[in-house]
């Protein structure tokens, strides 16, 4: 019923979504009208508000989501990547509501600021599933969340550092996007794990989860402290660690040897750097959340009771473990 009424609004929605950078159908920007994605009239129309394309992890996550929410699986995906702009992401979600999609999936860029738009989705009777990151809004406002335990990831990285560095150690931190759940929680988990150790955090700045961001922040740290003044880099993701490697090498020092690096994600490029000895330890953050998110959408729309939280387990890699895992790594 809602679909019939709101199909009249689809044209308006498509115009709004085009303005907001959304694409529909197969999610590849072909601009197809929702409902024409190959899934036929019974297809479930899902609006997916992705953060952007900031990292290798994000590319793998987007691919996993597009594969799971395919026409073959009975979906008509309306995809938006917000280029890491929280306001643009909320605008995209509003467009999904106006368009009358059947369900909305969000990978929230930041934790705060979601209350109003989630309430609007609830008022419109459109279920929301969160994937990857969490929000501070009440969990009454969304149906379910599937993602990773970012605090545990930070803790695992910090435990490795606490065991490895038993002498006075200077550490700099490359933080993820300010206000995002992974940046907040990975900092908390790591800090708790190194409490009481001789590791001193001498600086911490955001590199926005990007390779360029990690490189330029690391260049600043190297100018400020010199390569000799930094023993350890904690990067909240592999892309920033890879940027830091470039900066360290440009400064004439050896990453992984003169300056040790611990990071999070375990994407292929990061794992290769670990095998090459340029990163010393990586905690995984599994991006393959698409199938679980799609199953949740179908279950919620079928009126089934679903878990409020689904946590996907991560593992950690030293150089030997990375050598063994890399040949079969799919992302
Ligand atoms: O939310 C998951 C994080 O977002 C990944 O660790 C990072 O690479 C991405 O940008």
């Amino acid at each position: 019923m809602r679909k019939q009424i709101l199909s009249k609004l689809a044209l308006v929605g498509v115009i709004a979504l085009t303005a907001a950078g959304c694409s529909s159908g197969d999610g590849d920007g072909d601009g197809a009208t929702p409902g024409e994605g190959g899934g036929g009239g019974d297809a479930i129309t899902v609006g997916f508000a992705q953060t952007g394309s900031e990292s290798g992890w994000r590319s793998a996550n987007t691919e996993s989501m597009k594969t799971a929410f395919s026409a073959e699986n009975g979906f008509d995906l309306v995809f938006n990547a917000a280029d890491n702009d929280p306001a643009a992401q909320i605008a995209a979600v509003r467009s999904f509501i106006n368009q009358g999609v059947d369900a909305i999936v969000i990978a929230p860029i930041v934790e705060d600021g979601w209350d109003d738009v989630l309430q609007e989705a609830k008022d419109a009777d459109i279920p929301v599933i969160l994937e990857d990151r969490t929000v501070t809004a009440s969990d009454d406002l969304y149906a379910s969340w599937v993602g990773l335990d970012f605090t545990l990831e930070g803790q695992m990285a910090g435990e490795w550092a606490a065991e490895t560095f038993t002498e006075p150690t200077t550490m700099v931190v490359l933080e993820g996007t300010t206000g995002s759940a992974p940046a907040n929680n990975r900092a908390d988990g790591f800090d708790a794990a190194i409490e009481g150790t001789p590791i001193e955090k001498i600086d911490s700045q955001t590199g926005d989860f990007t390779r360029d961001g990690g490189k330029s922040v690391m260049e600043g740290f190297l100018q400020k402290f010199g390569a000799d003044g930094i023993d350890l880099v904690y990067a909240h993701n592999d892309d920033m660690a890879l940027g830091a490697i470039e900066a360290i090498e440009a400064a004439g020092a050896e990453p992984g040897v003169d300056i040790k690096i611990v990071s999070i994600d375990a994407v292929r490029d990061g794992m290769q750097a670990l095998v090459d000895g340029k990163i010393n330890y990586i905690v995984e953050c599994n991006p393959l959340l698409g199938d679980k998110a799609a199953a949740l959408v179908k279950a919620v729309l079928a009126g089934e009771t679903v878990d409020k939280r689904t946590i996907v387990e991560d593992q950690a890699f030293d150089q030997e473990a990375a050598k063994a895992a890399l040949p079969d790594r799919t992302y």
Side-chain angles (χ1 to χ4, degrees):
M1 180 65 177
R2 189 181 69 232
K3 263 183 115 173
Q4 282 174 350
I5 296 166
L6 290 169
S7 65
K8 291 176 187 160
L9 295 174
L11 186 59
V12 175
V14 168
I15 292 165
L17 285 164
T18 302
C22 300
S23 64
S24 176
D26 62 7
D28 287 332
D30 61 4
T33 303
E36 293 180 355
D42 295 335
I44 299 168
T45 302
V46 172
F48 174 39
Q50 179 59 290
T51 60
S53 52
E54 70 276 5
S55 63
W57 188 99
R58 190 59 56 191
S59 303
N61 179 250
T62 294
E63 197 182 322
S64 168
M65 294 292 283
K66 285 184 175 177
T67 302
F69 287 91
S70 63
E72 294 73 42
N73 290 340
F75 292 100
D76 187 0
L77 181 67
V78 187
F79 178 79
N80 176 270
D83 201 19
N84 235 17
D85 176 347
Q89 191 177 40
I90 286 173
V93 173
R94 284 215 166 89
S95 290
F96 296 152
I97 297 170
N98 290 336
Q99 191 179 340
V101 297
D102 297 315
I104 295 172
V105 181
I106 309 171
I109 296 167
V110 290
E111 289 191 283
D112 293 341
W114 286 99
D115 304 68
D116 290 350
V117 76
L118 290 179
Q119 185 64 55
E120 289 163 31
K122 191 172 185 176
D123 292 346
D125 203 19
I126 300 173
V128 172
I129 309 292
L130 304 180
E131 75 105 27
D132 167 25
R133 302 182 183 178
T134 49
V135 296
T136 52
S138 163
D139 65 9
D140 291 343
L141 296 176
Y142 55 90
S144 189
W145 165 77
V146 56
L148 303 309
D149 186 339
F150 299 131
T151 306
L152 182 61
E153 291 170 353
Q155 182 190 320
M156 287 161 76
E159 283 168 357
W160 171 81
E163 281 164 24
T164 307
F165 297 93
T166 51
E167 301 293 325
T169 298
T170 53
M171 176 184 71
V172 293
V173 180
L174 299 171
E175 302 165 16
T177 300
T178 303
S180 70
N184 292 341
N185 300 344
R186 287 173 186 168
D188 292 347
F190 191 99
D191 288 351
I194 63 162
E195 207 178 316
T197 71
I199 300 170
E200 182 195 357
K201 192 194 306 180
I202 55 172
D203 214 331
S204 181
Q205 284 177 39
T206 182
D208 229 0
F209 281 131
T210 67
R211 205 173 286 211
D212 284 352
K215 184 178 178 189
S216 70
V217 172
M218 191 66 209
E219 284 167 352
F221 288 155
L222 288 163
Q223 270 169 16
K224 191 169 168 186
F225 303 109
D228 291 343
I230 302 170
D231 299 316
L232 172 64
V233 176
Y234 169 36
H236 285 184
N237 80 343
D238 286 351
D239 277 77
M240 292 190 294
L242 293 164
I245 287 170
E246 288 178 33
I248 292 166
E249 287 176 337
E254 209 180 333
V257 177
D258 300 324
I259 299 178
K260 304 279 198 296
I261 301 177
V262 55
S263 76
I264 294 175
D265 273 357
V267 292
R268 282 190 67 84
D269 287 355
M271 294 285 270
Q272 186 62 57
L274 177 53
V275 168
D276 295 342
K278 297 182 178 189
I279 292 179
N280 304 87
Y281 196 72
I282 300 181
V283 177
E284 183 181 46
C285 179
N286 191 332
L288 307 181
L289 304 175
D291 287 342
K292 287 191 169 59
L296 280 168
V297 166
K298 284 190 173 172
V300 168
L301 289 173
E304 294 168 21
T305 304
V306 297
D307 290 336
K308 205 73 189 185
R309 291 163 54 85
T310 304
I311 293 180
V312 176
E313 268 187 41
D314 292 315
Q315 50 184 317
F317 299 91
D318 60 13
Q319 193 180 40
E320 287 311 306
K323 273 183 196 162
L326 192 54
D328 299 323
R329 205 74 182 154
T330 57
Y331 53 87

